[in-house]
Amino acid sequence: MTYEFLQHYWCFIVSLLGAILVFLLFVQGANSVARSLGYTEEGRRLVYNSTGRKWEFTFTTLVTFGGAFFASFPLFYSTSFGGAYWLWMIILFTFVLQAVSYEFQNKIGNFLGPKTFQFFLTLNGIVGPLLLGGAVATFFEGSNFIIAKDNLVNSQLSTLNTQLDITPVISSWANASHGLDALLNPWVLILGFAVVFLARVLGILYVMNNVNDEDIRSRGSVRLIGAAVPFVVLFVAYLVHLLVKDGFAYNPETGVIFMEPYKYLNNFIEMWYLLILLLIGVVLVLFGIGKTIVSKDYISGIWPAGIGTVLTVLALLLCCAWNNTAYYPSTADLQSSLTLQNSCSSEFTLRTMFYVSLLVPFVLAYIVYAWRAIDAKKLDKEEIQNDHAY
């Protein structure tokens, strides 16, 4: 295993976690339309109890995604999570609100009332996917940060001289917005809202499959059209923009970053397997949506759409990092842009983590087992009458 292979391998692992996270946002998507899916209070409780069985998967994947990024590409972690902290803090805050809201919305002594916590669930269902989608868009559109590469050397010299009281700043944000300035880019918002509507599509498909209630399923088919149309329009618009825009490339021999016309289109052409992955993913998502709308008896659309989402997002994330591409470009200083080579951990760290990652299939197998056990019986009105219901 070469150092270059390990860099690409861990880019794949992190991208896969990110793709799975986008799929699991169906929890947020369903919560954002819970009041229209479940017209009555009982119907809304069915929706919240359906997503309440899965919210831990989403939160755990989000934390694992951040942890894997920290271990394999620490300079990205310190730059993005440390510099754009307002963006990430808002995301994490809404996810904490989600966890609290599930537990307390119907607890005895809840002086705020159930509707307050249901509002928090809706807030997380909109803000979470919007900002996560916006964060993904910055991999293509760039962020406003600066890397002081000289401080990397100074930090090493300080350590050798045991001058531990000196802590040089390696990366810093170029303005005081700390990440929120990305939302001023209309293309970041377009992809962010595309993820919001994708989460709603997946959420509706999941609830239709998981909840045994004819009223919710009939409403779901109508609401699915309202979420699918803006999603398709926004996603296609951003995909066209991505394929025709200049991309952030770098010379692997000199490390110099430069703008290359049609970079991401060239990436898909040169890495044809990613293009095939993207096309298969898009077809599966459209198939899951289309068949659910056309067929009244088809309730399994979440599975082709979910698999398609993972494949599509995986292809996009790998396209922004592989083939000599700067995966976290800087709009403040082009040469500060991060690549797989200049932001990764040491070869020893990546190699050690590689052996640890061999346990991942066993973890995934357990997740599949737990998922099937939780969903062995479709959720119905009787299930929300027990003391363990949300």
Side-chain angles (χ1 to χ4, degrees), residues 116-131:
T116 300
F117 290 104
Q118 290 173 5
F119 168 77
F120 291 154
L121 289 174
T122 302
L123 181 68
N124 170 251
I126 298 174
V127 175
L130 174 63
L131 295 186

Side-chain angles (χ1 to χ4, degrees), residues 320-334:
C320 80
W322 285 1
N323 197 36
N324 300 328
T325 309
Y327 71 89
Y328 198 50
S330 170
T331 56
D333 174 29
L334 190 59

Side-chain angles (χ1 to χ4, degrees), residues 167-189:
T167 307
V169 176
I170 298 172
S171 58
S172 60
W173 218 252
N175 56 47
S177 69
H178 292 290
L180 296 181
D181 54 304
L183 301 179
L184 298 177
N185 185 330
W187 289 110
V188 170
L189 289 177

Side-chain angles (χ1 to χ4, degrees), residues 121-181:
L121 289 174
T122 302
L123 181 68
N124 170 251
I126 298 174
V127 175
L130 174 63
L131 295 186
L132 283 172
V136 171
T138 60
F139 293 155
F140 301 100
E141 305 300 325
S143 295
N144 206 6
F145 64 90
I146 297 174
I147 302 292
K149 297 181 180 179
D150 290 341
N151 285 346
L152 289 170
V153 178
N154 293 337
S155 177
Q156 295 171 353
L157 292 175
S158 297
T159 302
L160 291 174
N161 295 328
T162 67
Q163 297 175 358
L164 301 181
D165 57 323
I166 301 176
T167 307
V169 176
I170 298 172
S171 58
S172 60
W173 218 252
N175 56 47
S177 69
H178 292 290
L180 296 181
D181 54 304

